[in-house]
């Protein structure tokens, strides 16, 4: 499994792509369910989502 790659996306947008040994290690952790999968993804993606993604129409000041 030399040329493994993992593409992580959110809402059809690519967040991160990993290749090689890092991808193999990640796949192994997911398959063996080592730890919290959501936490693994957050660490890998650098916690890309900060909580400010709501639409402006949902913002309390807009109501």
């Amino acid at each position: 499994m030399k040329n493994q790659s993992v593409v992580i996306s959110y809402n059809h947008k690519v967040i991160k792509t990993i290749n090689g040994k890092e991808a193999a290690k990640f796949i192994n952790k997911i398959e063996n369910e080592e730890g919290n999968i959501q936490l693994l993804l957050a660490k890998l993606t650098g916690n890309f989502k900060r909580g400010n993604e709501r639409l402006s129409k949902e913002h309390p000041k807009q109501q």
Side-chain angles (χ1 to χ4, degrees), residues 15-45:
I15 304 302
K16 182 157 185 148
T17 303
I18 56 174
N19 299 306
K21 290 181 182 180
E22 186 179 13
K25 185 177 175 182
F26 179 74
I27 291 168
N28 188 38
K29 283 183 179 183
I30 295 294
E31 287 177 344
N32 295 323
E33 296 183 47
E34 293 177 19
N36 185 337
I37 294 173
Q38 187 174 1
L39 181 60
L40 291 172
L41 288 168
K43 287 180 178 181
L44 183 66
T45 60

Side-chain angles (χ1 to χ4, degrees):
M1 295 191 197
K2 284 184 180 180
N3 298 323
Q4 290 182 331
S5 66
V6 175
V7 177
I8 300 169
S9 63
Y10 180 77
N11 285 341
H12 307 290
K13 293 181 183 178
V14 175
I15 304 302
K16 182 157 185 148
T17 303
I18 56 174
N19 299 306
K21 290 181 182 180
E22 186 179 13
K25 185 177 175 182
F26 179 74
I27 291 168
N28 188 38
K29 283 183 179 183
I30 295 294
E31 287 177 344
N32 295 323
E33 296 183 47
E34 293 177 19
N36 185 337
I37 294 173
Q38 187 174 1
L39 181 60
L40 291 172
L41 288 168
K43 287 180 178 181
L44 183 66
T45 60
N47 195 18
F48 78 97
K49 192 173 177 187
R50 301 277 180 210
N52 59 354
E53 292 79 18
R54 64 182 168 184
L55 300 175
S56 62
K57 68 181 180 182
E58 295 175 2
H59 196 276
K61 291 183 179 180
Q62 299 295 329
Q63 296 177 355

